[in-house]
PDB file of all heavy atoms in Angstrom:
ATOM      1  N   ARG A  13      -9.354  20.259  21.018  1.00  0.00           N
ATOM      2  CA  ARG A  13      -9.415  21.626  21.531  1.00  0.00           C
ATOM      3  C   ARG A  13      -8.732  21.743  22.890  1.00  0.00           C
ATOM      4  O   ARG A  13      -8.055  22.739  23.179  1.00  0.00           O
ATOM      5  CB  ARG A  13     -10.876  22.059  21.631  1.00  0.00           C
ATOM      6  CG  ARG A  13     -11.518  22.303  20.269  1.00  0.00           C
ATOM      7  CD  ARG A  13     -13.014  22.526  20.395  1.00  0.00           C
ATOM      8  NE  ARG A  13     -13.609  22.824  19.090  1.00  0.00           N
ATOM      9  CZ  ARG A  13     -14.912  22.775  18.841  1.00  0.00           C
ATOM     10  NH1 ARG A  13     -15.759  22.462  19.820  1.00  0.00           N
ATOM     11  NH2 ARG A  13     -15.366  23.056  17.630  1.00  0.00           N
ATOM     12  N   SER A  14      -8.882  20.707  23.720  1.00  0.00           N
ATOM     13  CA  SER A  14      -8.255  20.721  25.041  1.00  0.00           C
ATOM     14  C   SER A  14      -6.741  20.628  24.945  1.00  0.00           C
ATOM     15  O   SER A  14      -6.011  21.291  25.692  1.00  0.00           O
ATOM     16  CB  SER A  14      -8.798  19.563  25.883  1.00  0.00           C
ATOM     17  OG  SER A  14      -8.161  19.485  27.124  1.00  0.00           O
ATOM     18  N   ALA A  15      -6.248  19.786  24.024  1.00  0.00           N
ATOM     19  CA  ALA A  15      -4.803  19.575  23.895  1.00  0.00           C
ATOM     20  C   ALA A  15      -4.115  20.704  23.142  1.00  0.00           C
ATOM     21  O   ALA A  15      -2.905  20.904  23.273  1.00  0.00           O
ATOM     22  CB  ALA A  15      -4.528  18.244  23.189  1.00  0.00           C
ATOM     23  N   ARG A  16      -4.879  21.460  22.367  1.00  0.00           N
ATOM     24  CA  ARG A  16      -4.306  22.495  21.520  1.00  0.00           C
ATOM     25  C   ARG A  16      -3.504  23.525  22.317  1.00  0.00           C
ATOM     26  O   ARG A  16      -2.399  23.916  21.922  1.00  0.00           O
ATOM     27  CB  ARG A  16      -5.439  23.182  20.755  1.00  0.00           C
ATOM     28  CG  ARG A  16      -5.056  24.349  19.872  1.00  0.00           C
ATOM     29  CD  ARG A  16      -4.306  23.910  18.633  1.00  0.00           C
ATOM     30  NE  ARG A  16      -2.869  23.835  18.828  1.00  0.00           N
ATOM     31  CZ  ARG A  16      -2.023  23.402  17.902  1.00  0.00           C
ATOM     32  NH1 ARG A  16      -2.457  22.999  16.725  1.00  0.00           N
ATOM     33  NH2 ARG A  16      -0.737  23.366  18.136  1.00  0.00           N
ATOM     34  N   ASP A  17      -4.017  23.941  23.451  1.00  0.00           N
ATOM     35  CA  ASP A  17      -3.350  24.980  24.235  1.00  0.00           C
ATOM     36  C   ASP A  17      -2.067  24.487  24.909  1.00  0.00           C
ATOM     37  O   ASP A  17      -1.258  25.307  25.345  1.00  0.00           O
ATOM     38  CB  ASP A  17      -4.308  25.523  25.301  1.00  0.00           C
ATOM     39  CG  ASP A  17      -5.483  26.277  24.689  1.00  0.00           C
ATOM     40  OD1 ASP A  17      -5.348  26.734  23.549  1.00  0.00           O
ATOM     41  OD2 ASP A  17      -6.533  26.382  25.362  1.00  0.00           O
ATOM     42  N   LYS A  18      -1.895  23.173  24.999  1.00  0.00           N
ATOM     43  CA  LYS A  18      -0.722  22.610  25.660  1.00  0.00           C
ATOM     44  C   LYS A  18       0.358  22.204  24.663  1.00  0.00           C
ATOM     45  O   LYS A  18       1.392  21.667  25.073  1.00  0.00           O
ATOM     46  CB  LYS A  18      -1.131  21.383  26.481  1.00  0.00           C
ATOM     47  CG  LYS A  18      -2.256  21.659  27.472  1.00  0.00           C
ATOM     48  CD  LYS A  18      -2.774  20.372  28.082  1.00  0.00           C
ATOM     49  CE  LYS A  18      -4.007  20.609  28.945  1.00  0.00           C
ATOM     50  NZ  LYS A  18      -4.571  19.352  29.478  1.00  0.00           N
ATOM     51  N   SER A  19       0.121  22.451  23.376  1.00  0.00           N
ATOM     52  CA  SER A  19       0.996  21.913  22.347  1.00  0.00           C
ATOM     53  C   SER A  19       1.412  22.989  21.355  1.00  0.00           C
ATOM     54  O   SER A  19       0.633  23.885  21.033  1.00  0.00           O
ATOM     55  CB  SER A  19       0.276  20.790  21.579  1.00  0.00           C
ATOM     56  OG  SER A  19      -0.359  19.887  22.451  1.00  0.00           O
ATOM     57  N   ASP A  20       2.636  22.861  20.875  1.00  0.00           N
ATOM     58  CA  ASP A  20       3.055  23.677  19.747  1.00  0.00           C
ATOM     59  C   ASP A  20       2.556  23.068  18.441  1.00  0.00           C
ATOM     60  O   ASP A  20       2.208  23.781  17.500  1.00  0.00           O
ATOM     61  CB  ASP A  20       4.580  23.795  19.726  1.00  0.00           C
ATOM     62  CG  ASP A  20       5.116  24.467  20.984  1.00  0.00           C
ATOM     63  OD1 ASP A  20       4.633  25.564  21.307  1.00  0.00           O
ATOM     64  OD2 ASP A  20       5.989  23.892  21.642  1.00  0.00           O
ATOM     65  N   ARG A  21       2.518  21.744  18.395  1.00  0.00           N
ATOM     66  CA  ARG A  21       1.943  21.017  17.262  1.00  0.00           C
ATOM     67  C   ARG A  21       1.129  19.844  17.797  1.00  0.00           C
ATOM     68  O   ARG A  21       1.502  19.219  18.795  1.00  0.00           O
ATOM     69  CB  ARG A  21       3.022  20.496  16.310  1.00  0.00           C
ATOM     70  CG  ARG A  21       3.781  21.584  15.552  1.00  0.00           C
ATOM     71  CD  ARG A  21       2.886  22.392  14.652  1.00  0.00           C
ATOM     72  NE  ARG A  21       3.616  23.409  13.891  1.00  0.00           N
ATOM     73  CZ  ARG A  21       3.035  24.436  13.282  1.00  0.00           C
ATOM     74  NH1 ARG A  21       1.706  24.611  13.380  1.00  0.00           N
ATOM     75  NH2 ARG A  21       3.756  25.311  12.605  1.00  0.00           N
ATOM     76  N   LEU A  22       0.021  19.536  17.102  1.00  0.00           N
ATOM     77  CA  LEU A  22      -0.880  18.472  17.531  1.00  0.00           C
ATOM     78  C   LEU A  22      -1.113  17.508  16.369  1.00  0.00           C
ATOM     79  O   LEU A  22      -1.605  17.915  15.307  1.00  0.00           O
ATOM     80  CB  LEU A  22      -2.204  19.063  18.015  1.00  0.00           C
ATOM     81  CG  LEU A  22      -3.323  18.099  18.389  1.00  0.00           C
ATOM     82  CD1 LEU A  22      -2.868  17.140  19.487  1.00  0.00           C
ATOM     83  CD2 LEU A  22      -4.562  18.871  18.837  1.00  0.00           C
ATOM     84  N   ILE A  23      -0.746  16.238  16.573  1.00  0.00           N
ATOM     85  CA  ILE A  23      -0.875  15.208  15.548  1.00  0.00           C
ATOM     86  C   ILE A  23      -1.917  14.195  16.017  1.00  0.00           C
ATOM     87  O   ILE A  23      -1.850  13.699  17.143  1.00  0.00           O
ATOM     88  CB  ILE A  23       0.461  14.477  15.310  1.00  0.00           C
ATOM     89  CG1 ILE A  23       1.621  15.475  15.129  1.00  0.00           C
ATOM     90  CG2 ILE A  23       0.346  13.532  14.125  1.00  0.00           C
ATOM     91  CD1 ILE A  23       1.503  16.381  13.942  1.00  0.00           C
ATOM     92  N   VAL A  24      -2.871  13.885  15.144  1.00  0.00           N
ATOM     93  CA  VAL A  24      -3.905  12.888  15.460  1.00  0.00           C
ATOM     94  C   VAL A  24      -3.784  11.717  14.497  1.00  0.00           C
ATOM     95  O   VAL A  24      -3.879  11.893  13.275  1.00  0.00           O
ATOM     96  CB  VAL A  24      -5.324  13.497  15.372  1.00  0.00           C
ATOM     97  CG1 VAL A  24      -6.363  12.434  15.757  1.00  0.00           C
ATOM     98  CG2 VAL A  24      -5.451  14.721  16.270  1.00  0.00           C
ATOM     99  N   HIS A  25      -3.561  10.529  15.049  1.00  0.00           N
ATOM    100  CA  HIS A  25      -3.584   9.294  14.256  1.00  0.00           C
ATOM    101  C   HIS A  25      -4.976   8.688  14.342  1.00  0.00           C
ATOM    102  O   HIS A  25      -5.575   8.635  15.421  1.00  0.00           O
ATOM    103  CB  HIS A  25      -2.567   8.286  14.802  1.00  0.00           C
ATOM    104  CG  HIS A  25      -1.207   8.428  14.220  1.00  0.00           C
ATOM    105  ND1 HIS A  25      -0.664   7.502  13.352  1.00  0.00           N
ATOM    106  CD2 HIS A  25      -0.267   9.386  14.371  1.00  0.00           C
ATOM    107  CE1 HIS A  25       0.545   7.889  13.005  1.00  0.00           C
ATOM    108  NE2 HIS A  25       0.816   9.023  13.608  1.00  0.00           N
ATOM    109  N   VAL A  26      -5.469   8.203  13.209  1.00  0.00           N
ATOM    110  CA  VAL A  26      -6.775   7.540  13.176  1.00  0.00           C
ATOM    111  C   VAL A  26      -6.641   6.226  12.421  1.00  0.00           C
ATOM    112  O   VAL A  26      -6.178   6.204  11.279  1.00  0.00           O
ATOM    113  CB  VAL A  26      -7.853   8.409  12.501  1.00  0.00           C
ATOM    114  CG1 VAL A  26      -9.231   7.798  12.750  1.00  0.00           C
ATOM    115  CG2 VAL A  26      -7.811   9.843  12.998  1.00  0.00           C
ATOM    116  N   HIS A  27      -7.053   5.136  13.071  1.00  0.00           N
ATOM    117  CA  HIS A  27      -7.034   3.818  12.427  1.00  0.00           C
ATOM    118  C   HIS A  27      -8.417   3.596  11.836  1.00  0.00           C
ATOM    119  O   HIS A  27      -9.393   3.388  12.561  1.00  0.00           O
ATOM    120  CB  HIS A  27      -6.686   2.748  13.472  1.00  0.00           C
ATOM    121  CG  HIS A  27      -6.061   1.517  12.881  1.00  0.00           C
ATOM    122  ND1 HIS A  27      -4.820   1.535  12.288  1.00  0.00           N
ATOM    123  CD2 HIS A  27      -6.506   0.237  12.788  1.00  0.00           C
ATOM    124  CE1 HIS A  27      -4.516   0.315  11.869  1.00  0.00           C
ATOM    125  NE2 HIS A  27      -5.537  -0.481  12.149  1.00  0.00           N
ATOM    126  N   TRP A  28      -8.523   3.646  10.492  1.00  0.00           N
ATOM    127  CA  TRP A  28      -9.827   3.634   9.848  1.00  0.00           C
ATOM    128  C   TRP A  28      -9.671   3.293   8.378  1.00  0.00           C
ATOM    129  O   TRP A  28      -8.572   3.047   7.895  1.00  0.00           O
ATOM    130  CB  TRP A  28     -10.510   4.982  10.012  1.00  0.00           C
ATOM    131  CG  TRP A  28      -9.814   6.182   9.396  1.00  0.00           C
ATOM    132  CD1 TRP A  28      -8.640   6.194   8.666  1.00  0.00           C
ATOM    133  CD2 TRP A  28     -10.257   7.538   9.443  1.00  0.00           C
ATOM    134  NE1 TRP A  28      -8.323   7.475   8.281  1.00  0.00           N
ATOM    135  CE2 TRP A  28      -9.309   8.323   8.731  1.00  0.00           C
ATOM    136  CE3 TRP A  28     -11.363   8.180  10.009  1.00  0.00           C
ATOM    137  CZ2 TRP A  28      -9.433   9.703   8.592  1.00  0.00           C
ATOM    138  CZ3 TRP A  28     -11.478   9.549   9.868  1.00  0.00           C
ATOM    139  CH2 TRP A  28     -10.532  10.296   9.172  1.00  0.00           C
ATOM    140  N   GLY A  29     -10.777   3.285   7.663  1.00  0.00           N
ATOM    141  CA  GLY A  29     -10.734   3.146   6.210  1.00  0.00           C
ATOM    142  C   GLY A  29     -11.087   1.759   5.713  1.00  0.00           C
ATOM    143  O   GLY A  29     -10.838   0.753   6.381  1.00  0.00           O
ATOM    144  N   MET A  30     -11.668   1.701   4.519  1.00  0.00           N
ATOM    145  CA  MET A  30     -12.023   0.433   3.893  1.00  0.00           C
ATOM    146  C   MET A  30     -10.756  -0.319   3.484  1.00  0.00           C
ATOM    147  O   MET A  30      -9.922   0.209   2.748  1.00  0.00           O
ATOM    148  CB  MET A  30     -12.879   0.701   2.647  1.00  0.00           C
ATOM    149  CG  MET A  30     -13.241  -0.542   1.845  1.00  0.00           C
ATOM    150  SD  MET A  30     -14.347  -1.648   2.728  1.00  0.00           S
ATOM    151  CE  MET A  30     -15.861  -0.669   2.692  1.00  0.00           C
ATOM    152  N   PRO A  31     -10.571  -1.564   3.956  1.00  0.00           N
ATOM    153  CA  PRO A  31      -9.385  -2.334   3.558  1.00  0.00           C
ATOM    154  C   PRO A  31      -9.282  -2.481   2.041  1.00  0.00           C
ATOM    155  O   PRO A  31     -10.283  -2.671   1.346  1.00  0.00           O
ATOM    156  CB  PRO A  31      -9.614  -3.693   4.236  1.00  0.00           C
ATOM    157  CG  PRO A  31     -10.489  -3.390   5.408  1.00  0.00           C
ATOM    158  CD  PRO A  31     -11.395  -2.278   4.947  1.00  0.00           C
ATOM    159  N   GLU A  32      -8.083  -2.348   1.533  1.00  0.00           N
ATOM    160  CA  GLU A  32      -7.741  -2.505   0.116  1.00  0.00           C
ATOM    161  C   GLU A  32      -8.094  -1.281  -0.723  1.00  0.00           C
ATOM    162  O   GLU A  32      -7.786  -1.244  -1.913  1.00  0.00           O
ATOM    163  CB  GLU A  32      -8.403  -3.748  -0.499  1.00  0.00           C
ATOM    164  CG  GLU A  32      -8.092  -5.045   0.216  1.00  0.00           C
ATOM    165  CD  GLU A  32      -6.606  -5.403   0.153  1.00  0.00           C
ATOM    166  OE1 GLU A  32      -6.085  -5.630  -0.948  1.00  0.00           O
ATOM    167  OE2 GLU A  32      -5.978  -5.443   1.219  1.00  0.00           O
ATOM    168  N   SER A  33      -8.735  -0.283  -0.149  1.00  0.00           N
ATOM    169  CA  SER A  33      -9.174   0.866  -0.933  1.00  0.00           C
ATOM    170  C   SER A  33      -8.160   1.997  -0.891  1.00  0.00           C
ATOM    171  O   SER A  33      -7.666   2.357   0.174  1.00  0.00           O
ATOM    172  CB  SER A  33     -10.524   1.386  -0.417  1.00  0.00           C
ATOM    173  OG  SER A  33     -10.917   2.544  -1.141  1.00  0.00           O
ATOM    174  N   SER A  34      -7.888   2.577  -2.056  1.00  0.00           N
ATOM    175  CA  SER A  34      -7.034   3.757  -2.123  1.00  0.00           C
ATOM    176  C   SER A  34      -7.850   5.043  -2.122  1.00  0.00           C
ATOM    177  O   SER A  34      -7.303   6.120  -2.330  1.00  0.00           O
ATOM    178  CB  SER A  34      -6.149   3.700  -3.375  1.00  0.00           C
ATOM    179  OG  SER A  34      -5.122   2.747  -3.210  1.00  0.00           O
ATOM    180  N   TYR A  35      -9.154   4.924  -1.892  1.00  0.00           N
ATOM    181  CA  TYR A  35     -10.027   6.092  -1.824  1.00  0.00           C
ATOM    182  C   TYR A  35     -10.582   6.256  -0.406  1.00  0.00           C
ATOM    183  O   TYR A  35     -11.213   5.329   0.112  1.00  0.00           O
ATOM    184  CB  TYR A  35     -11.202   5.942  -2.787  1.00  0.00           C
ATOM    185  CG  TYR A  35     -10.833   6.021  -4.243  1.00  0.00           C
ATOM    186  CD1 TYR A  35     -10.543   4.873  -4.962  1.00  0.00           C
ATOM    187  CD2 TYR A  35     -10.793   7.243  -4.904  1.00  0.00           C
ATOM    188  CE1 TYR A  35     -10.212   4.929  -6.313  1.00  0.00           C
ATOM    189  CE2 TYR A  35     -10.467   7.316  -6.251  1.00  0.00           C
ATOM    190  CZ  TYR A  35     -10.177   6.156  -6.946  1.00  0.00           C
ATOM    191  OH  TYR A  35      -9.845   6.220  -8.274  1.00  0.00           O
ATOM    192  N   PRO A  36     -10.386   7.395   0.226  1.00  0.00           N
ATOM    193  CA  PRO A  36     -11.041   7.633   1.514  1.00  0.00           C
ATOM    194  C   PRO A  36     -12.537   7.803   1.313  1.00  0.00           C
ATOM    195  O   PRO A  36     -12.992   8.234   0.248  1.00  0.00           O
ATOM    196  CB  PRO A  36     -10.391   8.934   2.009  1.00  0.00           C
ATOM    197  CG  PRO A  36      -9.988   9.639   0.754  1.00  0.00           C
ATOM    198  CD  PRO A  36      -9.598   8.564  -0.221  1.00  0.00           C
ATOM    199  N   SER A  37     -13.310   7.458   2.330  1.00  0.00           N
ATOM    200  CA  SER A  37     -14.754   7.640   2.236  1.00  0.00           C
ATOM    201  C   SER A  37     -15.109   9.097   2.491  1.00  0.00           C
ATOM    202  O   SER A  37     -14.351   9.840   3.133  1.00  0.00           O
ATOM    203  CB  SER A  37     -15.457   6.755   3.270  1.00  0.00           C
ATOM    204  OG  SER A  37     -15.240   7.272   4.581  1.00  0.00           O
ATOM    205  N   PRO A  38     -16.266   9.551   2.012  1.00  0.00           N
ATOM    206  CA  PRO A  38     -16.705  10.910   2.332  1.00  0.00           C
ATOM    207  C   PRO A  38     -16.772  11.165   3.835  1.00  0.00           C
ATOM    208  O   PRO A  38     -16.465  12.268   4.292  1.00  0.00           O
ATOM    209  CB  PRO A  38     -18.089  10.991   1.674  1.00  0.00           C
ATOM    210  CG  PRO A  38     -18.005  10.044   0.520  1.00  0.00           C
ATOM    211  CD  PRO A  38     -17.163   8.899   1.026  1.00  0.00           C
ATOM    212  N   GLY A  39     -17.153  10.137   4.603  1.00  0.00           N
ATOM    213  CA  GLY A  39     -17.190  10.294   6.053  1.00  0.00           C
ATOM    214  C   GLY A  39     -15.820  10.551   6.644  1.00  0.00           C
ATOM    215  O   GLY A  39     -15.667  11.372   7.555  1.00  0.00           O
TER     216      GLY A  39
END
């Protein structure tokens, strides 16, 4: 929310997920 006003586009990278799984978790 803070960065939104300073950006035309906002990209968030997240390092996560069960290794070897092609299914994201509900979380």
